[in-house]
Amino acid sequence: MKDFAVFWGCTIQARFPFLEKSSRIVFDDFSLPYKEIDGFTCCPEKSLIDNVDHEMFVVTAARNVALADENKVDIVSPCTGCVSNLATVKGELESNPKEKDTVNSLLGEVGREFEGSAKLSHLVPFFHDSVGSHKIKQTIKKNFNGMKISAHYGCHMIRPSHALRNDDPIDPVKYDNLIRTLGAESVETDTKLMCCGQGLDRVDQHDNALHMARMKLKELIKAGADALTVCCPSCFLQFDNNQFLMMREGEKLGLPVIYFTELLGLALGHTPEELGLDLHRVSAEPFLKKWASLTADNQEEINSGLNATGTL
Amino acid sequence: MIKSDLDLKLLEKCAGCGACFSICPSCITIPGYDPREVIKDILAGEFEKWLESKHIWQCLECHYCLEMCYQHYGFENAMTALRTIATKRGKFPPQVKRGWDMFAKSSRLGDPAMPARKKLGLPEPKKSGKDEFLKLHELVLKAREAENEKKTGTDDE
C-alpha cells in the first residue's frame, strides 16, 4: 500500500476533533501507512468558494494536490467534501491542459507544481477497496450481529462520478458492504441518496435544512434502524446537531448518529469515550445499550452451548 | 455575461426534459423551487430576475442531477452560473460572505480547536499553507486587475 497523507479538512479540525481521534485510532489499529504533511489549506469548500471565485477554488485545490504529489503520497480523507472538491479540480485540470499550464505557472511562483499523481480517496471506499472486508473481519474483536444500521453515503463520497470514480453514483454499495462486514444489517431507505441538506444552513435557510434532516430521520426511525452512520462532517452536523435542535423543540427523534470510524473503532474494542462518542449532541446510549445486551445474549448462548450435556 | 458561462444549446434540451426535477432534493422538499422555470427564463434572456431570489442558493450541489442527466450537464450548472453572477454583484447570503472572508484571510474555514485537541490527546496540527495561499491570492488578483486594465484600454480605442 502506498503511503498516504490524511486530509482532515477545516470542519473536522475546527468543530469535531473527536472525529480525527477515531480516524487515527482505526488507522493505527490496521497499521496503515499514513503520514502527516505540512502546508494543507481548506480544500476549498465548493459552495462557499467556487461560487465567489472559481479561479481561487482551482488554484487552492491544485496546490493541496501538489503537496501530496511532491511528498509522493496519496490522499485519504474522512470528509466527503474535501475529496470531492480536490478530485473535481484534479479532473478539470487533467482534461484541460491549457488551464493546467496557467495554474502551474501561478503555483511556480510559490515553488509548487501540480502533477496530479496523487490518488484521492475517501476513507469509506478506501477501507472497502484497500483494506478489504477479509482483513476487517480478521481484525475486529466484536461484531454488530443483530443491529440495524443505515448508511448515509453523503453526496460527495460518490458524486460527481466522473471525478471520483469510486462507486456507483446512483446505486452505491461499498458503505453497505462495510456495514455487513461488521455484522450488522444494512437498512435500505428511500432517502438513501438524498442530500442531507446541511448546505441550506450555509446559505441562511435553517428551516429548509431542518425539514430535509427530519425526512430522513423519520424514515429511519420508522424502519427500526438502531443508528445512522455517516462519514462526512457536514452530514454529521446535519443529523447530530440539527436533530438535537429539533429534539430541544420537542420533536420525538433521538436516532444515534455514528461516524464510520467510530463504528469501526467500537468493533475493534475501543470504548465509546476513547472514540469521543460522549461528545455527540444526540446520545448514542440507545445504540450502545442494545448492542451490549445483544453481546451479552450471544455470550450466554455460547456459554450454554459449551456447557450443555453432550458437548465434548 | 451568462452566455460565456453556460452552453445554451444544452440548456434548450434541458427545457424540454426536466428529468432532474423528479430527483432533486430541493425540488422535492422546497415549495416553489423548480429548475424548469429558471431555465426557461435564462433561455428567454430574463435571468436577471433570479439573481435576487433565494431559490438560486437552494441548489445543494449534490450533483444528483448531473448523474441523471443524459447530457451529463445538469441543472446545477445553470444555478452555479447565476450564483456566480450574483456574488460578483455583491448579492450573497451573509454566511457565504462570512465564509469567503474567513477563507481569503486565513486559507481555512475554521482553525483547529486547540483546547479540545489537547483534551483528546491529539498531536499539534501540521503547519498551514496560509502564507503561500495569501501570496497566490494576491497574484491572482493582480493578474485580474492587469487583464481588466488591458480590456478597458482596448475598449477605449
Side-chain angles (χ1 to χ4, degrees):
Chain A
M1 188 185 290
K2 191 174 161 189
D3 288 0
F4 63 90
V6 188
F7 198 95
W8 298 108
C10 305
T11 313
I12 288 181
Q13 290 202 317
R15 295 198 65 163
F16 308 117
F18 54 93
L19 298 178
E20 179 175 333
K21 176 92 183 288
S22 58
S23 302
R24 283 177 187 273
I25 287 176
V26 299
F27 288 147
D28 286 338
D29 279 13
F30 284 94
S31 311
L32 298 174
Y34 71 102
K35 274 189 168 172
E36 305 275 351
I37 64 174
D38 281 324
F40 284 144
T41 61
C42 177
C43 53
E45 211 274 330
K46 189 173 184 295
S47 65
L48 296 177
I49 309 308
D50 195 23
N51 288 318
V52 181
D53 193 330
H54 181 66
E55 200 175 354
M56 277 314 288
F57 175 72
V58 171
V59 170
T60 309
R63 184 186 157 280
N64 283 324
V65 176
L67 289 173
D69 288 343
E70 207 172 281
N71 282 280
K72 303 204 177 338
V73 291
D74 288 337
I75 284 178
V76 173
S77 179
C79 171
T80 61
C82 291
V83 180
S84 178
N85 292 325
L86 294 173
T88 298
V89 169
K90 188 182 165 191
E92 182 173 323
L93 295 181
E94 278 170 347
S95 60
N96 189 341
K98 206 176 144 203
E99 188 184 5
K100 185 173 156 185
D101 284 349
T102 314
V103 166
N104 267 336
S105 69
L106 255 171
L107 289 177
E109 301 274 344
V110 293
R112 307 278 174 212
E113 188 190 358
F114 167 90
E115 285 173 40
S117 58
K119 189 176 173 229
L120 315 174
S121 309
H122 180 269
L123 189 143
V124 166
F126 171 79
F127 263 91
H128 185 277
D129 300 342
S130 302
V131 180
S133 94
H134 186 65
K135 175 89 184 159
I136 295 173
K137 274 187 185 160
Q138 275 182 334
T139 315
I140 58 171
K141 299 196 168 74
K142 292 192 256 179
N143 63 38
F144 290 105
N145 280 353
M147 300 296 285
K148 290 171 81 171
I149 301 173
S150 186
H152 176 75
Y153 281 75
C155 306
H156 301 129
M157 189 191 293
I158 47 179
R159 297 190 291 265
S161 60
H162 64 265
L164 290 162
R165 275 174 272 142
N166 60 15
D167 205 338
D168 189 316
I170 47 180
D171 187 18
V173 295
K174 292 183 181 173
Y175 208 161
D176 295 271
N177 286 347
L178 288 171
I179 291 175
R180 291 185 202 111
T181 296
L182 297 177
E185 176 191 338
S186 174
V187 182
E188 283 283 343
T189 58
D190 292 340
T191 54
K192 181 173 181 174
L193 292 184
M194 198 171 127
C195 177
C196 71
Q198 175 58 31
L200 291 163
D201 254 341
R202 283 198 292 274
V203 293
D204 303 282
Q205 300 191 21
H206 187 54
D207 288 345
N208 285 332
L210 291 186
H211 181 55
M212 245 182 237
R214 193 182 287 123
M215 270 179 79
K216 179 155 205 123
L217 292 166
K218 282 197 162 161
E219 189 192 3
L220 282 172
I221 291 168
K222 208 172 155 197
D226 297 308
L228 166 66
T229 181
V230 299
C231 200
C232 166
S234 191
C235 301
F236 182 79
L237 182 66
Q238 170 76 336
F239 291 119
D240 187 58
N241 193 54
N242 275 348
Q243 181 179 191
F244 170 78
L245 296 179
M246 289 187 280
M247 287 164 74
R248 209 172 53 183
E249 295 298 314
E251 292 189 44
K252 285 203 171 64
L253 295 163
L255 182 73
V257 183
I258 319 272
Y259 219 67
F260 174 70
T261 49
E262 296 172 335
L263 200 63
L264 191 53
L266 287 170
L268 289 161
H270 295 279
T271 65
E273 294 73 28
E274 238 181 300
L275 297 161
L277 270 112
D278 51 333
L279 299 168
H280 293 198
R281 300 197 79 178
V282 175
S283 169
E285 269 314 306
F287 174 82
L288 296 169
K289 266 193 189 146
K290 182 175 170 189
W291 189 39
S293 74
L294 285 176
T295 320
D297 286 353
N298 286 347
Q299 198 54 46
E300 215 166 279
E301 207 176 310
I302 292 165
N303 287 343
S304 68
L306 286 173
N307 299 329
T309 44
T311 47
L312 292 173
Chain B
M1 194 196 264
I2 197 148
K3 279 195 182 129
S4 63
D5 289 325
L6 283 174
D7 189 326
L8 295 181
K9 276 236 161 68
L10 290 181
L11 270 190
E12 270 170 34
K13 290 200 171 140
C14 291
C17 170
C20 45
F21 184 74
S22 59
I23 45 91
C24 164
S26 291
C27 296
I28 294 168
T29 58
I30 302 172
Y33 183 82
D34 190 340
R36 297 167 299 190
E37 295 298 316
V38 181
I39 287 168
K40 235 188 276 164
D41 284 336
I42 291 175
L43 290 171
E46 290 168 8
F47 67 88
E48 294 270 346
K49 66 183 186 199
W50 290 100
L51 298 180
E52 304 261 5
S53 165
K54 63 180 189 306
H55 285 316
I56 62 171
W57 296 95
Q58 287 163 345
C59 162
L60 290 151
E61 301 180 77
C62 71
H63 311 310
Y64 206 167
C65 60
L66 188 71
E67 303 290 352
M68 295 301 279
C69 178
Y70 75 110
Q71 308 184 98
H72 202 66
Y73 193 62
F75 173 55
E76 66 168 270
N77 279 300
M79 290 313 228
T80 303
L82 291 174
R83 281 193 300 259
T84 306
I85 298 171
T87 53
K88 279 205 180 104
R89 297 189 189 171
K91 294 171 187 161
F92 26 19
Q95 279 220 63
V96 175
K97 172 94 174 75
R98 270 200 300 276
W100 168 263
D101 287 348
M102 191 188 290
F103 172 72
K105 210 172 92 190
S106 71
S107 83
R108 294 180 59 107
L109 291 173
D111 286 325
M114 295 312 286
R117 290 185 75 81
K118 221 174 157 187
K119 238 182 180 168
L120 289 160
L122 288 168
E124 277 285 306
K126 297 304 276 186
K127 241 175 73 193
S128 105
K130 184 180 160 188
D131 294 344
E132 274 179 33
F133 166 84
L134 292 177
K135 190 171 173 201
L136 284 169
H137 192 195
E138 207 184 296
L139 289 168
V140 166
L141 292 180
K142 260 193 199 151
R144 210 171 282 166
E145 211 173 292
E147 185 121 321
N148 281 343
E149 263 169 35
K150 217 167 84 191
K151 259 193 213 156
T152 333
T154 346
D155 287 349
D156 288 346
E157 277 165 21

